[in-house]
Amino acid sequence: MRKILVVGAGQSGLQLALGLQSHGYEVTLMSNRTADEIRSGRVMSTQCMFDTALQHERDLQLNFWESQAPKIEGLGVSVAAPGSHDPGPTQRAIDWVGRLDGYAQSVDQRVKMAGWMETFAQRGGQLVIHGAAVGDLDYFSRAYDLVLVAAGKGELVSMFRRDPERSPYAEPQRALAVAYVHGLGPRPEHPEFDAVRCNLVPGVGELFVMPTLTTSGRADILFWEGIPGGPLDVFNGVKDPAEHLSLTLELMEKFTPWEYARATGVELTDAGATLSGRYAPTVRNPIGRLPGGGLVLGVADVVVANDPITGQGSNSASKCAAAYLGSILERGEEPFDEEWMQATFDRYWATAQHVTKWTNAMLAPPPEHVLNLIGAAGQLQPVANRFANAFDDPSDFEDFFYDPEKTSAYLASVTGA
């Protein structure tokens, strides 16, 4: 049986390792932390996964927490009225919620990755706890038919060259700050179902609020994305979790008081419940060359790293793992050569390109026709629903989002109907 090394134990690396294992491949998984270290560590992301990505987990029977995690049935968008945050109370110029065709879910990656890693080991997989360097891979690559690099941070990423044509931004476009909390009240407009809330503050940044399942049960995530150098870019160097939460709430009170109103009694879920940082969205060449001449294939955010403004990171990781798994299974006993590696990435890029295009568009100030579209969704429920469901399938934005004429034609078709 073919031997495969997977380096990195995140959404994509673990999903791929478990998928290959279920098909009888001899898989070695390399992680820089144990399951216990992950479970007791700091939160890693916000990971709201939509129906298609969740289905990839179901297909592999890895949806261990589906019955416990909150079912997210809607996606809401609020836009702060211009100039309303300074001075006086902020008003919403736009406020609506679209209903999802299939529910979304968020499971704290500390819960999921630790659980999946233990499952991989229990099923007989070889688990190596080691922070791999390029030199290690040069040594290991000779013993494996294929080496997959799914560790999106650190030295290994340097093996994959940036693709300037697909990477319009050289610098981070948002400063990120996450807090997991207990005690958040429901949105009074729709208390009967859970929704992700996207709050846009023009010229300042965005606040995302979403329900999740964490190590201590049901919780909510408060996630600020601030334009660098702006009023939300204040988390750099904040190490104390309590100070991080205090800043988060102060900014909510100033810029999104409708969300702050339900957050006055929140507390952090645990000592590792905060996260901050920033990175430049980047697409890289998928094939890495080792000093000894061997080739490795980059996975998920190693090769396509988008800003989390559109909530696509774990979705893309799941879709990448599913695409790569299909390519590996179809390859049979043929060599995993450079041509196959490029074709395997291209198969993933067929969907990933839509995520990258949409995410990069959302990082820029919206053009007038997009503002009109988001505004129309407040009056036309089918528009709100379509916008919400495009988070599951971003390729749909091609038909109504980017081009002013297509947007006008779509809105005319809805009002005409």
Side-chain angles (χ1 to χ4, degrees), residues 28 107 132 244 246 273 283 291 336 383 396:
T28 300
V107 177
H244 181 113
S246 178
V283 177
F336 298 116
V383 177
D396 189 40

Side-chain angles (χ1 to χ4, degrees), residues 135-159:
D136 297 316
L137 294 197
D138 208 30
Y139 173 77
F140 286 124
S141 66
R142 303 181 190 103
Y144 292 91
D145 297 298
L146 175 63
V147 177
L148 297 160
V149 177
K153 299 179 178 68
E155 179 194 329
L156 298 183
V157 178
S158 66
M159 287 192 296

Side-chain angles (χ1 to χ4, degrees), residues 175-179 181 204 206-207 222-226 230-257 259-260 263 266-268 274-278:
L176 316 172
V178 173
V181 298
V204 177
E206 300 81 25
L207 172 72
L222 308 175
F223 174 31
W224 275 115
E225 288 227 356
L232 303 178
D233 187 5
V234 291
F235 292 89
N236 200 13
V238 175
K239 296 283 185 271
D240 177 44
E243 185 184 350
H244 181 113
L245 178 61
S246 178
L247 270 173
T248 298
L249 294 171
E250 281 176 32
L251 294 167
M252 288 173 68
E253 186 176 21
K254 181 173 183 180
F255 293 107
T256 59
E259 295 288 16
Y260 177 75
V266 300
E267 55 187 34
L268 292 173
T274 60
L275 177 70
S276 62
R278 68 189 75 202

Side-chain angles (χ1 to χ4, degrees), residues 303-327:
V303 286
V304 184
N306 292 301
D307 188 279
I309 191 170
T310 52
Q312 294 297 300
S314 53
N315 294 275
S316 293
S318 177
K319 292 172 183 178
C320 182
Y324 280 24
L325 178 62
S327 288

Side-chain angles (χ1 to χ4, degrees), residues 358 373 386-387 390-391 393-402:
W358 173 46
L373 175 71
R386 186 173 185 181
F387 197 97
F391 277 72
D393 177 15
S395 69
D396 189 40
F397 282 117
E398 288 289 345
D399 296 327
F400 73 102
F401 183 81
Y402 303 108

